[in-house]
Amino acid sequence: MKSRFETKEYEFLEIESRETEDGKIVSVFLNNPTSRNSMTWKMGEEFADLIHSIRKEKVLPRAVIVSGRNDVFCAGGDLNLLRSFSEKTFSQNRRDMRKFYGFFLSVRKLPVPVIAAVNGHAIGAGLSLTFGCDLRIFADEGKYSFNFVRLGIHPGMGSSFLSPELLGKSLGGRLLLTGETFDGKFAKSCGLALDSVPKTEVYSRAMELALSLSKAAPLALQELKKNLYSWKQLDSALKKEAESQARNFISDDFKETIKSILEKREPKFTGK
């Protein structure tokens, strides 16, 4: 019998299921070819729906892999989505941003190990999604950055909590404050990535890891995941991020961000 999530078609996701002698491994691929797998509202709804479906399975997969199609992991928030935020009120954005974060960070609630196979560039919220996973394999040549402040907005998608949680306040704060770009080898050197390999090998390395995890006792892993993370602390951070981003979205600086992107130039911020 096919799983419920295997029989459902998604517009911005692709799902593959691999049966092993120890159980099933599910792979989820972000797939928005027109904009480098950028995050849209629809993609978020589909992602949350899929995660919910996996959680409701009678027999859970042994591991889940999250990766990207189109030779990239995720370019962050879709431009049209970002532009729509600049046209909403503070209250609307505060509400919508919190909901948008929840779509993608629902991955953190999966009771099985989740591996981010970061097969190419991951920027902004796209990088945050990888931080929401349990383990990460990065591409040597990939470009990774929390570019939020360079877009005139407070970091979102849980990055203000997840980055210090994983890397400590010093390095985590540095990456958020500077918006600097780093590669997979740097991610491995600082412990963010379990491994960094050429991008053509990222998915196979992630599958190798998933097969290894599938050998462990599933109930023990499920209990471990309950105890590893505090959703309450993350939820509190998400509420603060949503409020801060909502304030930024109605600023002149963010309007300048959108204008500069469309005109293909560097933004000139005034602090208004």
Side-chain angles (χ1 to χ4, degrees), residues 105-116 129-136 161-163 165-166 192 213 221-235:
L105 291 179
S106 61
V107 70
R108 198 170 171 94
K109 293 184 177 181
L110 277 175
V112 300
V114 182
I115 304 164
L129 174 58
T130 75
F131 278 43
C133 299
D134 302 305
L135 299 165
R136 287 154 292 280
F161 173 82
L162 296 170
S163 187
E165 180 189 57
L166 287 172
L192 172 59
L213 289 168
L221 286 177
Q222 291 169 32
E223 289 299 320
L224 175 58
K225 282 210 62 173
K226 289 180 185 177
N227 296 324
L228 273 178
Y229 306 120
S230 169
W231 182 259
K232 184 179 291 187
Q233 289 181 332
L234 176 57
D235 189 58

Side-chain angles (χ1 to χ4, degrees), residues 139-264:
D140 289 341
E141 61 272 53
K143 293 181 179 179
Y144 310 108
S145 172
F146 285 123
N147 66 334
F148 296 101
V149 294
R150 295 180 179 271
L151 298 178
I153 54 176
H154 185 282
M157 196 64 74
S159 55
S160 65
F161 173 82
L162 296 170
S163 187
E165 180 189 57
L166 287 172
L167 299 170
K169 286 189 176 181
S170 180
L171 180 54
R174 167 186 149 187
L175 296 180
L176 292 170
L177 288 166
T178 65
E180 66 184 86
T181 299
F182 58 94
D183 60 16
K185 293 180 179 178
F186 176 84
K188 181 181 179 181
S189 72
C190 66
L192 172 59
L194 177 67
D195 204 355
S196 179
V197 297
K199 63 181 181 181
T200 55
E201 300 175 19
V202 168
Y203 181 73
S204 61
R205 178 68 180 90
M207 181 58 72
E208 176 186 313
L209 178 59
L211 290 170
S212 175
L213 289 168
S214 71
K215 301 290 184 181
L219 292 180
L221 286 177
Q222 291 169 32
E223 289 299 320
L224 175 58
K225 282 210 62 173
K226 289 180 185 177
N227 296 324
L228 273 178
Y229 306 120
S230 169
W231 182 259
K232 184 179 291 187
Q233 289 181 332
L234 176 57
D235 189 58
S236 178
L238 293 175
K239 290 177 181 177
K240 293 178 181 178
E241 286 185 352
E243 185 166 317
S244 294
Q245 285 200 330
R247 191 174 295 113
N248 295 148
F249 282 136
I250 59 176
S251 69
D252 289 343
D253 277 349
F254 187 67
K255 290 180 175 62
E256 165 63 9
T257 292
I258 298 299
K259 187 177 180 181
S260 67
I261 292 174
L262 294 174
E263 295 176 355
K264 298 182 179 181

